[in-house]
Amino acid sequence: MSLFVIIVSGILINNYVLSRILGICPFLGVSKQVETAAGMSMAVTFVMTLAGTITWLAQRFVLDRLGLEYMQTVTFILIIAALVQFVEMVIQKTSPTLYQSLGIYLPLITTNCAVLGVSILNIKEKFGLIETIVNSAASAIGFSLAIILFAGIRERLELSNIPEAFKGFPIALFTASLMSLAFLGFAGLV
Amino acid sequence: MNVRKVFADGLIFNNPILVQMVGMCPTLAVSNTAMNGFGMGLAATAVLIGSNIVISMLRKVTPDEIRIPIFIVVIATFVTMIEMVVHAYFTALYDALGIFLPLIVVNCIILARAEAFAFKNSVFKSAVDGLGNGLGFTLALTILAAIRELFGSGSIFGKTVMWGSYEPMSIIVQPSGGFLVLGLLLAIFATFTAKKASV
């Protein structure tokens, strides 16, 4: 598969949120304002690319070598949790301004299923190292695109007159449904 | 808090999907057929009961600072076990759930119950809490999946129930339809509970 196909597919066709339905918790939880959504997506992009790469290395050079493939889930989630903690500490030490904007989102990323999802899918698709890095980054950008667009719509929704029963989550889900429908249009792109 | 209330809370009054609104990824992703929803619910229930029991047993020796990594390791171990069992005995379900089976490990319901309940309560109560929440998750997931399968494929649990000339709305079984049906369900549930509260 060419890298271009991987990029287009990761961002648009197989959009992590709207087509694969991964990472819904932050998508619904941290999307009330464009600003917070942008902060979250920056943190996710950073961690997802790093996590995808490191888990691939771990799978290739440790688990496969030792015949421990069944330990994949345990290993990957531990790597991701440790990585998130590590990134948090590094950012706190090196760049307090960045920490202020990203800090609160970082702990949430451990349980973002898109991160573990991309790590597992990289292995399932039998990607090489370069493909893994590109795919992880593209998937993260796809996630960012979806959550920022969604936050933009939700900001408008706050000001609209909505029936009582639909306030909050239901109307947000309808919005997501329409966005997912729109993203279906990309299906024939490649 | 007695055991009965713990169970009922998880099943209905504090239902993971309809009230707590956690665990949305598997909820939306595998609810395209009733069988998938049901299977996913039971797999998550098994993990939830196991992890709740072990975490409750370990609660006195677990240091506060590193409890989250410990929870995650316990949960991941149970998920791996369930994954192997499903792979060995329910191959069709294993293929249908795909990546979402290992992803039970990041299902917020399980970590939330560990943190909010199992870490503070006795082993027996934690097991009941796991069972209640797990079945509540299964119940809501199966209802959602059955509705989607009914309108999207014209069947329930694989059995055709709609009349012959019924044209399935295939959009309902796609991701877009998942968001739509769950939104409607939440709106109906909210109306129902709001009325009850005002009376």
Side-chain angles (χ1 to χ4, degrees):
Chain A
M1 219 195 296
S2 78
L3 293 181
F4 179 73
V5 175
I6 293 180
I7 293 174
V8 175
S9 146
I11 298 177
L12 297 175
I13 304 168
N14 284 323
N15 187 289
Y16 261 62
V17 179
L18 299 169
S19 303
R20 283 198 206 269
I21 324 204
L22 287 168
I24 300 292
C25 294
F27 180 69
L28 292 173
V30 215
S31 57
K32 285 210 171 120
Q33 283 171 342
V34 174
E35 210 173 305
T36 49
M40 183 67 178
S41 33
M42 259 160 67
V44 166
T45 308
F46 190 59
V47 172
M48 223 159 130
T49 314
L50 219 53
T53 315
I54 294 177
T55 49
W56 186 88
L57 292 173
Q59 173 84 19
R60 186 73 186 276
F61 293 107
V62 181
L63 296 184
D64 284 354
R65 288 275 164 87
L66 301 176
L68 289 173
E69 287 87 356
Y70 61 89
M71 290 293 282
Q72 195 191 48
T73 313
V74 182
T75 316
F76 280 16
I77 192 69
L78 271 181
I79 291 177
I80 292 169
L83 187 71
V84 169
Q85 198 90 64
F86 180 70
V87 167
E88 192 180 349
M89 287 192 303
V90 169
I91 292 181
Q92 196 174 10
K93 279 268 185 287
T94 52
S95 164
T97 36
L98 192 64
Y99 182 75
Q100 277 200 332
S101 55
L102 293 189
I104 47 165
Y105 308 110
L106 280 169
L108 291 174
I109 293 179
T110 311
T111 51
N112 181 344
C113 54
V115 180
L116 185 60
V118 80
S119 305
I120 296 175
L121 279 174
N122 282 335
I123 308 294
K124 276 223 165 111
E125 302 270 340
K126 301 200 167 52
F127 281 152
L129 181 58
I130 305 290
E131 287 164 322
T132 294
I133 297 173
V134 171
N135 183 48
S136 310
S139 308
I141 295 169
F143 173 85
S144 311
L145 179 72
I147 194 174
I148 292 173
L149 285 176
F150 187 55
I153 300 174
R154 275 188 90 174
E155 275 190 357
R156 292 284 181 106
L157 282 178
E158 288 290 311
L159 306 170
S160 324
N161 192 8
I162 301 163
E164 196 58 46
F166 288 94
K167 274 188 183 145
F169 264 100
I171 195 77
L173 283 164
F174 289 161
T175 313
S177 167
L178 290 175
M179 284 176 70
S180 168
L181 205 57
F183 268 71
L184 262 186
F186 290 117
L189 209 59
V190 171
Chain B
M1 197 158 45
N2 62 5
V3 176
R4 230 167 150 189
K5 188 171 178 311
V6 170
F7 182 75
D9 257 0
L11 190 63
I12 296 172
F13 302 111
N14 207 6
N15 187 292
I17 295 179
L18 299 172
V19 183
Q20 299 175 49
M21 296 186 198
V22 289
M24 285 293 160
C25 298
T27 307
L28 288 161
V30 300
S31 60
N32 45 2
T33 70
M35 200 58 225
N36 285 355
F38 188 62
M40 179 57 161
L42 288 191
T45 307
V47 174
L48 195 51
I49 296 173
S51 69
N52 259 8
I53 290 175
V54 171
I55 286 165
S56 172
M57 271 155 63
L58 294 174
R59 72 184 190 281
K60 296 222 170 79
V61 291
T62 309
D64 239 15
E65 300 80 26
I66 53 161
R67 65 182 193 285
I68 302 285
I70 290 176
F71 292 170
I72 289 179
V73 173
V74 171
I75 295 168
T77 311
F78 276 105
V79 169
T80 308
M81 276 154 50
I82 296 297
E83 203 184 338
M84 286 170 166
V85 170
V86 175
H87 197 175
Y89 297 104
F90 310 95
T91 317
L93 186 67
Y94 181 82
D95 293 334
L97 295 183
I99 186 179
F100 286 96
L101 206 49
L103 284 182
I104 294 177
V105 74
V106 281
N107 188 327
C108 338
I109 298 172
I110 295 166
L111 197 58
R113 290 331 290 171
E115 170 82 13
F117 199 93
F119 198 56
K120 293 171 195 143
N121 286 285
S122 68
V123 176
F124 179 65
K125 268 189 183 171
S126 302
V128 173
D129 179 71
L131 183 70
N133 272 278
L135 291 183
F137 179 62
T138 311
L139 185 71
L141 192 51
T142 312
I143 292 174
L144 175 67
I147 295 173
R148 285 181 70 187
E149 194 186 344
L150 178 66
F151 290 106
S153 319
S155 57
I156 287 180
F157 282 106
K159 279 206 188 89
T160 311
V161 287
M162 291 301 222
W163 56 95
S165 60
Y166 176 74
E167 195 70 50
M169 296 180 259
S170 61
I171 194 68
I172 299 288
V173 286
Q174 283 181 319
S176 168
F179 287 116
L180 187 73
V181 176
L182 183 62
L184 279 172
L185 261 189
L186 289 181
I188 293 168
F189 195 77
T191 320
F192 180 69
T193 44
K195 258 197 196 130
K196 220 172 153 192
S198 64
V199 165

